[in-house]
Amino acid sequence: MNALMIKALAFAAILMIATIWVVMSLDIDIVGDSVNAITMGGALAIAVITAAVSVKYINQMKTDTASGELAEESWDGIGEYKNELPSGWAYSFLAVFLWSMWYGFAGYPINTYSQIGEYNEEVLAYNTKFEVVHKDADNATLLEMGESIYLVQCSQCHGNAGDGLDGKAQDFTSRMSKEQVLEAINNGANTLGYPMGAMPAGMAKGADAEAIAVYVAGGMKGGQPAAFGACSSCHGLDGKGNGGMSPSLVEYDATLMKYTIQNGKKGSMGKMPAFKTLITPVQEKALTVYIQSLSN
Amino acid sequence: MFFHWLEKNPFFFAAAISIVISFAGLIEIVPNFAKAAKPLVGMEPRTVLELAGKNVYMKDNCQSCHSQMIRPFKSETDRYGDYSLSGEYAYDRPFLWGSKRTGPDLHRIGNYRSTDWHENHMLAPADIVPGSIMPAYKHQFTNIADIETAYAEAVTVKNAFHTPYGPEFKRTRAAWDAHRPKVLDDAKAIAADMKNKDVKEAVANGQVPEIVALIAYLNSLK
């Protein structure tokens, strides 16, 4: 033990005593609390080891003499020994090299993170759960779901109450207005894509058309005008669309909802875009329930 | 040897260090970025009318409240449609991603709103969407859009960036005179779906009100 070591140990001791003094003044129980005791022991060990290691290397620098074979290169008079690689370093290098080969050729290509992949998983998981949960949804659930879909996707044009904002879009509180029926009779209609195909313009004229319009706009109640024969061959005697072959004139049935959502519609009021990418089959069912509830 | 020279030139030494350090980044990020930034297959650059509409969009600062960037989250794709791809912005100079959604995202607005809806909405947003805080943009119905500048822009990006506008896009008065009727035809197609009489009249007289150009642009966002 030389003078330098004694100085270093004394310095470490002073540091420890100072630390203990600060801790004591903070009124912390060191001996009684095992965690505090271990912490203080650790601090002591770190101080002693740091001092001892520093002293060892400082001494070595003072007393060591150069030995071994020098490399040929000389950098401004500073030479370098030809030493063996330290074995710890060499093994680490080898391990990292092997890992990088695995990572570069197998790990990264196979395990790579993809934002779109995560999105696809999220959507798949949600859709699967959604289909299972709502496979046999009751009417109240569908109505509630339909309303929230309506408020997000439909209300901007058809209004929060479904009244079509004063003629800017279809009014869901009734099926068709007299003007709409006349418009269809006079100009024909073919934008929904029903199997029956295009409705030609001018199926009825003048007073006949007027009588049909009043009858259909009134919800097809009371005596049927004779002129309705022009309509019933495609729309059915009850006006319900011959089992989905042509649009129903009396209600927003499931086929009308389906074709409108799939294809959109262009009529006298303007154009409704198709919503097929934004509304799933279950949601379509829910919307049908909700929109039917608006006219009942 | 080379490194002797490098060691004596700190600037080039620093440059060489930067290259070495960023090498992995360069070979991984740059090719990927270049690939993703290419326009989608079959994508057409915007027509002159749509470009004029884009300029109206920027002039009235729509991007301050509306983003054009649908992120790949289910909550976003449910509401706005498919997530955005970087190639979709290849012809946008500048792109209008925006960073704030006071209003909804508009990147696919053309899929679910129509000409007549925009017309009603721009006149009185709160009448169409209850509770909306969007201001009315009535001046767009009277201001005339600058389709000449839009044409010049098309010609410029064609020459500078090889944006695939046809050979008829040239830097001459004659080329513009030849193209102008096509722009007006596009405007007439939009105006045919509108109800405002002043707008229809202006378009019939060969002028393009800002609202027509803006709607053409919004309809093209799909």
Side-chain angles (χ1 to χ4, degrees):
Chain A
M1 191 164 287
N2 60 26
L4 187 71
M5 241 178 206
I6 292 167
K7 277 184 208 161
L9 283 176
F11 180 64
I14 291 169
L15 266 183
M16 272 315 294
I17 290 165
T19 312
I20 290 170
W21 179 76
V22 169
V23 172
M24 296 293 252
S25 69
L26 288 173
D27 196 21
I28 293 172
D29 179 11
I30 297 175
V31 186
D33 187 324
S34 62
V35 174
N36 286 350
I38 292 169
T39 309
M40 283 311 287
L44 184 69
I46 289 172
V48 171
I49 291 169
T50 307
V53 169
S54 312
V55 166
K56 175 184 182 289
Y57 280 106
I58 290 170
N59 271 339
Q60 199 175 338
M61 276 154 65
K62 279 183 169 173
T63 57
D64 234 13
T65 47
S67 62
E69 195 188 340
L70 275 174
E72 279 162 30
E73 291 280 355
S74 169
W75 293 273
D76 296 336
I78 300 170
E80 190 182 52
Y81 290 123
K82 285 182 173 172
N83 286 335
E84 287 291 314
L85 283 177
S87 54
W89 191 92
Y91 290 131
S92 313
F93 179 79
L94 200 61
V96 170
F97 175 75
L98 290 174
W99 175 83
S100 70
M101 286 293 128
W102 170 82
Y103 183 74
F105 292 107
Y108 179 72
I110 292 168
N111 302 326
T112 182
Y113 171 78
S114 147
Q115 196 181 21
I116 300 305
E118 189 181 342
Y119 166 79
N120 288 339
E121 279 169 17
E122 183 191 356
V123 171
L124 184 68
Y126 182 87
N127 287 350
T128 315
K129 193 175 155 221
F130 186 85
E131 290 297 324
V132 170
V133 171
H134 297 291
K135 203 171 69 179
D136 302 307
D138 56 23
N139 231 39
T141 313
L142 287 177
L143 190 67
E144 202 180 329
M145 189 196 298
E147 180 175 13
S148 44
I149 299 164
Y150 179 89
L151 289 174
V152 174
Q153 303 285 17
C154 316
S155 64
Q156 286 83 354
C157 298
H158 295 280
N160 279 358
D163 56 5
L165 295 176
D166 199 18
K168 293 191 181 72
Q170 179 72 27
D171 177 359
F172 289 132
T173 56
S174 67
R175 174 65 186 90
M176 289 174 97
S177 70
K178 193 179 144 194
E179 290 72 32
Q180 283 179 291
V181 182
L182 280 174
E183 160 84 20
I185 293 176
N186 292 334
N187 302 320
N190 182 29
T191 57
L192 288 175
Y194 269 91
M196 197 67 94
M199 166 169 163
M203 290 287 287
K205 288 189 174 63
D208 283 350
E210 193 80 12
I212 295 170
V214 170
Y215 175 65
V216 172
M220 299 194 48
K221 293 188 181 78
Q224 199 170 71
F228 193 74
C231 316
S232 59
S233 54
C234 293
H235 291 283
L237 260 179
D238 55 2
K240 287 191 173 167
N242 260 339
M245 294 299 286
S246 68
S248 166
L249 305 178
V250 285
E251 58 180 6
Y252 296 96
D253 62 2
T255 49
L256 183 61
M257 292 294 297
K258 183 178 114 190
Y259 284 114
T260 316
I261 289 170
Q262 285 293 313
N263 304 320
K265 182 169 167 46
K266 195 166 194 297
S268 54
M269 286 182 289
K271 183 180 161 213
M272 166 169 162
F275 278 79
K276 58 185 165 210
T277 55
L278 289 170
I279 290 171
T280 70
V282 174
Q283 292 178 328
E284 187 184 300
K285 214 162 102 185
L287 263 183
T288 308
V289 171
Y290 179 71
I291 284 174
Q292 282 173 354
S293 79
L294 292 173
S295 53
N296 290 340
Chain B
M1 278 182 9
F2 175 66
F3 62 82
H4 283 139
W5 174 83
L6 208 54
E7 281 167 4
K8 285 172 195 155
N9 291 277
F11 174 79
F12 292 106
F13 193 71
I17 288 175
S18 324
I19 292 172
V20 170
I21 291 176
S22 54
F23 186 69
L26 286 176
I27 60 165
E28 283 184 17
I29 298 168
V30 173
N32 212 350
F33 187 80
K35 196 175 145 201
K38 278 185 185 158
L40 298 188
V41 174
M43 202 173 97
E44 298 280 330
R46 301 195 188 287
T47 67
V48 172
L49 185 65
E50 287 160 10
L51 272 183
K54 186 171 182 251
N55 290 339
V56 175
Y57 187 97
M58 291 192 283
K59 191 177 109 184
D60 283 339
N61 230 352
C62 305
Q63 72 274 12
S64 290
C65 293
H66 293 281
S67 60
Q68 285 189 25
M69 158 71 96
I70 304 167
R71 296 170 293 174
F73 303 138
K74 187 171 185 305
S75 53
E76 300 223 344
T77 55
D78 272 1
R79 183 170 173 194
Y80 302 124
D82 287 348
Y83 52 79
S84 307
L85 303 169
S86 34
E88 292 180 79
Y89 306 98
Y91 299 138
D92 279 0
R93 296 173 199 279
F95 62 81
L96 295 167
W97 294 345
S99 58
K100 190 166 187 303
R101 282 186 186 155
T102 303
D105 189 279
L106 301 181
H107 196 216
R108 310 243 180 264
I109 188 83
N111 283 337
Y112 48 87
R113 295 288 182 271
S114 54
T115 301
D116 54 300
W117 187 85
H118 286 304
E119 183 186 7
N120 292 327
H121 186 247
M122 286 297 177
L123 272 176
D127 285 2
I128 306 297
V129 182
S132 170
I133 57 164
M134 174 165 152
Y137 286 83
K138 289 184 180 134
H139 59 274
Q140 291 175 346
F141 288 75
T142 46
N143 284 5
I144 299 302
D146 189 354
I147 50 176
E148 287 192 18
T149 299
Y151 181 80
E153 195 183 321
V155 174
T156 305
V157 293
K158 183 197 167 195
N159 292 338
F161 305 113
H162 305 289
T163 306
Y165 286 103
E168 69 274 19
F169 282 78
K170 282 188 231 131
R171 203 186 301 174
T172 60
R173 169 58 63 177
W176 164 236
D177 287 340
H179 191 76
R180 200 179 139 85
K182 203 182 159 303
V183 181
L184 292 177
D185 282 348
D186 290 349
K188 276 176 198 150
I190 298 286
D193 287 339
M194 294 177 67
K195 295 189 181 74
N196 189 298
K197 291 210 173 57
D198 296 340
V199 169
K200 281 173 179 288
E201 200 176 308
V203 172
N205 292 336
Q207 284 185 314
V208 179
E210 285 185 342
I211 185 73
V212 175
L214 182 69
I215 290 178
Y217 172 63
L218 292 174
N219 285 347
S220 77
L221 292 172
K222 289 184 174 180

